[in-house]
């Protein structure tokens, strides 16, 4: 809802012509030429000659803002509102700086003062933006209602509808959106939000019809947003997502969903182009997570680790898997702390087993196996039992595993070890031969001895 930097610039350049001071003329000339660093020095000189010049305060603040020197710009505009407490420009620009500094509460206060001095559309939009960023969506909607007048732009009406939606007042947003779209049917964001609300109200078919109306009215890249929304509501989303992505490759959500679809279909390589495109546009945690999963399947463990790390806490399990594959077992074990999913617990059991911590592995794997009877977990549970010399228990587990997964080579191999430990050498050899036939190199090596 914010706009590029302010209408006050017109005032800055216009009023400067009336002043003849050399420092001021030099400052204005430098500003027009885009030499903002030099303009700052000239504006400071002009203020040193006369601290009561509004235009010099304004020019100094805008120049600092454009240089990205936000704290200095904040000070400049703060000084401006102190010297000129009844001028709108200082409060409005100070609000913009506070927003860029990530201080929405302070921004809301000064935008409120700006709107009091001059109830412009941009002041109300800035005020509502600040409240929204501060987590006060309901208050933002109230502000926009307060500032609503017949001449407000479509952007203002859209902002009001968005604020109402964010505040949970979906039904109240609907008439605002229809009023907007009746007046200006080319506003893609309006159709998108209307369809979203209708779908959330259980009116999916009506939402799809409204999207089709919107697609007839909206032109160019803006159509991509509506195609994306339609894809989210359709049983066959992929053609719509491809069309949306072709129209606007910067629409990261479409690229992400296409990548996810490829990943779920088992095509990790095909998913990468879409996911990398989405990540370049918007490095969202969920995109990083999908990239980590794709790279893990492709056995590119360094990139899997990198993107899992960038995904934050949701990427912990994938990061642990990558660390394990890279041979960093201690790190992987630490990453699994606090993760309670069966997959995380199974990996933890594998790590404990490989690190020779057999009692810990057994304590973890036994209840895990009993809760799900997963063959892979059963194989590792039996391996822990064999390592601890509990061959009879291992045989019972492995017979059960092989009843479910008779082609599990590791199960046959561990059964061979258990039977050997029980002194049943002939049975052990048959089990090892079966493991070797299924591809177990360990069994082949043992049989050659």
């Amino acid at each position: 809802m914010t706009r590029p930097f302010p209408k006050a610039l017109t005032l800055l350049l216009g009023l400067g012509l009336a002043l003849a001071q050399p420092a001021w003329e030099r400052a204005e000339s430098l500003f027009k030429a885009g030499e903002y660093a030099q303009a700052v020095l000239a504006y400071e000189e002009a203020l040193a000659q006369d601290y009561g010049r509004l235009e010099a305060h304004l020019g100094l603040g805008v120049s600092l803002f454009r240089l990205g020197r936000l704290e200095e710009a904040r000070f400049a505009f703060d000084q401006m509102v102190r010297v000129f407490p009844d001028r709108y420009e200082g409060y409005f620009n100070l609000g913009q700086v506070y927003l860029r500094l990530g201080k929405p509460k302070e921004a809301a206060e000064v935008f409120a003062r700006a709107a009091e001095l001059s109830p412009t559309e941009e002041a109300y939009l800035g005020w509502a933006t600040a409240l929204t960023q501060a987590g006060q969506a309901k208050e933002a909607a109230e502000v926009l209602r307060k500032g609503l007048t017949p001449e407000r732009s479509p952007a203002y009406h859209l902002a009001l509808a968005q604020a109402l939606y964010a505040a949970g007042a979906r039904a109240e947003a609907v008439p605002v959106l229809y009023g907007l779209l009746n007046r200006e049917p080319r506003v893609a964001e309006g159709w998108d939000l209307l369809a979203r609300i209708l779908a959330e109200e259980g009116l999916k078919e009506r939402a799809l019809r409204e999207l089709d109306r919107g697609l007839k009215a909206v032109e160019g890249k803006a159509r991509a947003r509506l195609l994306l929304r339609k894809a989210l509501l359709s049983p066959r989303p992929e053609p719509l997502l491809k069309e949306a992505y072709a129209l606007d490759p910067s629409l990261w959500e479409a690229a992400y969903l296409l990548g996810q679809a490829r990943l779920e279909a088992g095509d990790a390589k095909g998913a990468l182009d879409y996911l990398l495109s989405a990540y370049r546009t918007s490095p969202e945690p969920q995109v990083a997570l999908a990239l980590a999963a794709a790279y893990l399947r492709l056995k590119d463990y360094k990139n899997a680790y990198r993107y899992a790390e960038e995904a934050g806490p949701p990427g912990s399990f994938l990061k642990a898997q990558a660390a394990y594959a890279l041979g960093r077992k201690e790190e992987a074990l630490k990453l699994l702390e606090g993760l309670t999913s069966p997959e995380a617990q199974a990996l933890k059991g594998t790590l404990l087993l490989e690190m020779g911590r057999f009692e810990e592995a057994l304590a973890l794997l036994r209840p895990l196996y009993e809760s799900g009877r997963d063959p892979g977990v059963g194989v590792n549970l039996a391996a822990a039992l064999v390592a601890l010399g509990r061959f009879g228990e291992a045989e019972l587990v492995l017979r059960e595993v092989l009843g479910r997964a008779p082609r599990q080579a590791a199960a046959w191999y561990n059964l061979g070890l258990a039977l050997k430990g029980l002194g049943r050498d002939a049975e052990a050899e048959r089990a090892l031969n079966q493991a070797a036939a299924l591809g177990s190199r360990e069994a082949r090596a043992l049989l050659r001895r």
Side-chain angles (χ1 to χ4, degrees):
M1 290 190 290
T2 56
R3 295 188 175 195
F5 215 73
K7 291 183 178 179
L9 290 179
T10 305
L11 177 65
L12 170 64
L13 300 179
L15 293 182
L17 298 175
L19 299 170
Q21 290 286 341
W24 169 254
E25 289 177 355
R26 187 166 65 256
E28 184 182 33
S29 178
L30 289 164
F31 181 90
K32 286 180 178 179
E35 299 286 343
Y36 301 120
Q38 293 302 312
V40 165
L41 299 176
Y43 283 128
E44 287 176 354
E45 185 179 342
L47 287 172
Q49 294 171 7
D50 182 358
Y51 208 65
R53 280 191 180 152
L54 180 143
E55 298 83 0
H57 284 280
L58 185 59
L60 176 61
V62 173
S63 297
L64 289 165
F65 183 90
R66 292 195 173 181
L67 288 166
R69 291 156 62 177
L70 298 179
E71 277 296 345
E72 293 176 78
R74 180 204 61 76
F75 182 81
F77 287 126
D78 179 76
Q79 286 292 295
M80 184 175 174
V81 300
R82 292 175 189 277
V83 178
F84 303 98
D86 296 324
R87 291 300 297 248
Y88 163 88
E89 300 90 342
Y91 292 99
F92 177 78
N93 291 343
L94 182 56
Q96 295 280 32
V97 174
Y98 274 132
L99 281 179
R100 288 283 293 273
L101 285 169
K103 296 181 176 181
K105 290 184 179 179
E106 291 87 343
E109 290 177 9
V110 292
F111 277 128
R113 177 62 176 149
E116 182 183 342
L117 289 168
S118 181
T120 65
E121 178 170 313
E122 64 184 2
Y124 278 102
L125 287 172
W127 189 0
T129 297
L131 288 167
T132 300
Q133 290 184 11
Q136 297 176 270
K138 184 178 179 181
E139 290 80 359
E142 289 171 359
V143 160
L144 290 170
R145 276 183 174 145
K146 178 182 176 182
L148 186 62
T149 60
E151 67 271 13
R152 294 302 188 210
S153 71
Y156 191 97
H157 287 82
L158 177 62
L160 174 56
Q162 289 170 332
L164 288 166
Y165 175 79
R170 295 186 305 207
E172 292 177 56
V174 170
V176 177
L177 287 166
Y178 274 113
L180 163 65
L181 295 169
N182 289 340
R183 175 183 171 188
E184 181 46 81
R186 293 174 296 176
V187 180
E189 295 92 337
W191 293 108
D192 180 52
L193 183 55
L194 177 60
R196 182 173 183 173
I197 291 172
L198 292 172
E200 289 175 0
E201 291 289 336
L203 305 171
K204 190 169 90 168
E205 294 304 319
R206 180 176 170 183
L208 287 167
R209 289 193 294 271
E210 294 297 355
L211 284 169
D212 285 336
R213 291 189 184 96
L215 285 165
K216 290 176 183 176
V218 175
E219 298 176 351
K221 286 174 66 174
R223 290 169 52 83
R225 173 62 57 183
L226 303 188
L227 290 165
L228 172 63
R229 180 64 56 193
K230 190 172 180 180
L232 293 171
L233 299 174
S234 299
R236 294 183 61 251
E238 193 162 346
L240 292 163
L241 290 171
K242 285 182 177 178
E243 188 179 352
Y245 182 63
L247 263 177
D248 185 3
S250 69
L251 191 63
W252 72 267
E253 298 99 322
Y256 166 67
L257 290 170
L258 284 166
Q260 274 285 75
R262 294 287 174 90
L263 198 56
E264 289 169 7
D267 182 11
K269 189 174 181 180
L272 273 184
D273 284 345
Y274 288 120
L275 293 173
L276 287 169
S277 174
Y279 189 81
R280 283 191 293 268
T281 304
S282 186
E284 302 292 328
Q286 64 263 43
V287 182
L289 194 65
L291 276 168
Y295 278 119
L296 200 61
R297 291 186 193 179
L298 294 168
K299 298 184 178 180
D300 183 345
Y301 301 121
K302 286 185 178 178
N303 270 320
Y305 184 94
R306 170 198 162 184
Y307 286 105
E309 187 170 43
E310 293 188 23
S316 295
F317 178 56
L318 293 178
K319 189 177 175 182
Q321 287 180 291
Y324 171 61
L326 291 167
R328 293 164 12 201
K329 294 181 182 180
E330 290 286 357
E331 181 186 359
L333 195 60
K334 188 172 182 180
L335 286 166
L336 291 169
E337 288 177 8
L339 301 184
T340 58
S341 71
E343 296 83 4
Q345 292 295 294
L347 178 57
K348 187 175 182 180
T350 300
L351 283 162
L352 291 169
L353 195 61
E354 292 183 6
M355 295 166 76
R357 295 160 62 173
F358 303 122
E359 291 286 0
E360 292 176 74
L362 179 61
L364 177 71
L365 292 167
R366 189 185 292 281
L368 188 62
Y369 177 66
E370 289 174 354
S371 68
R373 290 296 194 268
D374 179 86
V377 175
V379 168
N380 283 346
L381 170 60
L385 289 166
V386 168
L388 292 167
R390 296 161 68 169
F391 304 118
E393 292 177 68
E395 182 187 5
L396 290 174
V397 171
L398 290 164
R399 296 289 185 194
E400 187 177 48
V401 167
L402 288 166
R404 290 186 170 85
R407 299 188 61 78
Q408 175 67 265
W412 283 108
Y413 173 72
N414 285 338
L415 180 60
L417 295 181
L419 292 168
K420 202 170 186 66
L422 291 167
R424 293 152 59 184
D425 292 344
E427 291 178 73
E429 187 171 349
R430 286 195 295 272
L432 290 170
N433 277 316
Q434 183 66 30
L438 290 169
S440 171
R441 286 178 293 180
E442 295 86 356
R444 288 172 191 161
L446 197 58
L447 287 166
R448 283 197 296 267
R449 290 180 185 175

